């Protein structure tokens, strides 16, 4: 098991500069990370920086609140794919979920998945704001909408990934979707335990120190 092949090396800071993104890409190349994860405005630069490598580019959509219109999220996803993104990490509409507007949540995920075709879609459910029942519901809606992954967190909420949340997500989705643990994964021991629990991808800004 190569830990680096589980890592989405991430910089989603609003203050990230072009130099920061180039550094992120260089670190991904040095350590052989599976992917990088950036805001949409940096996708073109990342594509240029990672030219002639097999490192994937993930772009976040509706980030970090998930509260913009579905039409805006779909446009943003398509735009990022057009600029070179291989994967989309979208934030669900938490207010809709908490209002019981389950069809709206599912339809939004489905619309984005259909818009990006065979590209990977990860659905961020932002577990820190949800009850266990809501977490299960969000995971089931993502599966119903044919998402490829469910993801714990943006890293910008009140808490990131937890072992208990990953266990709950794994119980809920089974083999119907993969799981990405993200937010607060800062050491190798924690990362390896998430993999033991069944995650297929780890989102972290601490990739180089995890490998060392």
């Amino acid at each position: 098991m190569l830990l680096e092949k589980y890592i989405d090396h991430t910089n989603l800071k609003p203050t990230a500069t072009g130099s920061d993104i180039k550094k992120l890409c260089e670190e991904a190349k040095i350590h052989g990370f599976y992917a990088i994860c950036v805001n949409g405005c940096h996708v073109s630069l990342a594509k240029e920086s990672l030219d002639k490598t097999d490192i994937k580019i993930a772009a976040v959509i509706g980030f970090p609140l998930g509260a913009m219109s579905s039409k805006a999220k779909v446009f943003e996803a398509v735009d990022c794919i057009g600029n070179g993104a291989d994967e989309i990490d979208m934030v669900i509409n938490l207010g809709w979920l908490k209002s019981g507007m389950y069809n709206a949540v599912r339809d939004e995920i489905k619309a984005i998945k259909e818009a990006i075709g065979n590209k990977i879609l990860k659905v961020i459910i932002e577990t820190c704001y949800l009850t266990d029942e809501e977490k299960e519901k969000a995971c089931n809606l993502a599966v119903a909408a044919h998402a490829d992954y469910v993801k714990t967190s943006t890293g910008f909420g009140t808490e990131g990934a937890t072992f208990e949340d990953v266990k709950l997500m794994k119980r809920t989705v089974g083999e119907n979707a993969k799981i990405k643990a993200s937010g607060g994964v800062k050491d190798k021991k924690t990362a390896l335990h998430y993999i033991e629990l069944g995650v297929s991808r780890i989102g972290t800004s601490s990739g180089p120190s995890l490998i060392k």
Side-chain angles (χ1 to χ4, degrees):
M1 188 273 293
L2 296 172
L3 177 57
E4 59 266 28
K5 295 306 178 188
Y6 285 81
I7 291 177
D8 288 3
H9 190 33
T10 303
N11 187 336
L12 298 170
K13 294 177 182 175
T15 53
T17 64
S19 296
D20 294 331
I21 301 305
K22 288 178 181 177
K23 180 173 181 277
L24 186 83
C25 293
E26 285 306 309
E27 289 172 342
K29 286 191 273 190
I30 290 166
H31 297 288
F33 295 136
Y34 185 85
I36 60 143
C37 186
V38 295
N39 280 296
C41 64
H42 299 302
V43 169
S44 296
L45 176 59
K47 183 70 173 175
E48 184 183 315
S49 301
L50 294 173
D51 188 39
K52 297 184 174 65
T53 76
D54 60 359
I55 298 166
K56 304 298 184 187
I57 299 169
V60 292
I61 299 302
F63 195 87
L65 303 178
M68 53 291 295
S69 72
S70 295
K71 195 177 290 186
K73 286 182 182 176
V74 170
F75 179 88
E76 190 180 8
V78 171
D79 185 60
C80 286
I81 296 296
N83 287 330
D86 304 290
E87 305 181 351
I88 295 296
D89 290 31
M90 66 161 285
V91 186
I92 65 164
N93 190 311
L94 293 157
W96 285 357
L97 183 76
K98 287 184 166 293
S99 298
M101 296 169 60
Y102 303 133
N103 289 347
V105 175
R106 181 201 61 214
D107 290 349
E108 179 176 271
I109 300 167
K110 186 179 178 185
I112 294 171
K113 179 58 184 173
E114 288 176 351
I116 67 172
N118 61 0
K119 302 294 186 181
I120 295 293
L121 177 62
K122 309 188 200 94
V123 176
I124 306 170
I125 66 172
E126 198 69 297
T127 48
C128 64
Y129 296 127
L130 304 180
T131 65
D132 284 354
E133 185 179 353
E134 289 167 341
K135 292 167 196 172
E136 290 175 3
K137 190 65 182 178
C139 287
N140 285 325
L141 291 169
V143 169
H146 307 295
D148 302 283
Y149 279 76
V150 286
K151 176 177 169 181
T152 58
S153 320
T154 61
F156 287 75
T158 55
E159 190 177 18
T162 69
F163 297 143
E164 289 307 312
D165 282 340
V166 166
K167 289 175 187 175
L168 179 151
M169 292 164 76
K170 186 64 179 173
R171 284 196 306 271
T172 305
V173 303
E175 299 302 315
N176 296 313
K178 295 179 180 179
I179 298 170
K180 177 175 172 179
S182 189
V185 186
K186 297 186 182 302
D187 63 83
K188 187 173 185 177
K189 182 180 178 182
T190 301
L192 291 173
H193 190 51
Y194 277 121
I195 293 168
E196 288 172 6
L197 292 176
V199 309
S200 298
R201 211 78 73 78
I202 293 167
T204 179
S205 58
S206 306
S209 60
L210 259 66
I211 298 301
K212 290 171 187 172

